[in-house]
Amino acid sequence: MARSKARPVVTLRSTAGTGVTYVTRKNRQNYPDRLVLRKYDPVAAAHVPFRETR
């Protein structure tokens, strides 16, 4: 099954500056701007915002 261009793979990088990343998919039609999710950073041992990198 082919991958959809409407749902690209994006990398989320921690705003705490620890270098921790998550990989996820997003729907470009519903979220055209950069994605920001609050996730757990194991190096900082806290939940911090993760921003989409290109």
Side-chain angles (χ1 to χ4, degrees):
M1 186 175 208
R3 295 289 183 188
S4 171
K5 293 191 180 201
R7 280 200 165 273
V9 175
V10 296
T11 302
L12 302 173
R13 185 170 303 274
S14 174
T15 58
T18 58
V20 176
T21 60
Y22 280 95
V23 177
T24 188
R25 294 183 166 275
K26 77 167 188 175
N27 188 329
R28 248 189 222 162
Q29 292 175 343
N30 295 341
Y31 300 98
D33 299 330
R34 290 194 184 196
L35 192 61
V36 178
L37 296 175
R38 191 167 178 263
K39 297 184 76 64
Y40 185 74
D41 186 339
V43 177
H47 283 84
V48 297
F50 278 70
R51 294 191 188 279
E52 176 184 345
T53 60
R54 306 228 175 191

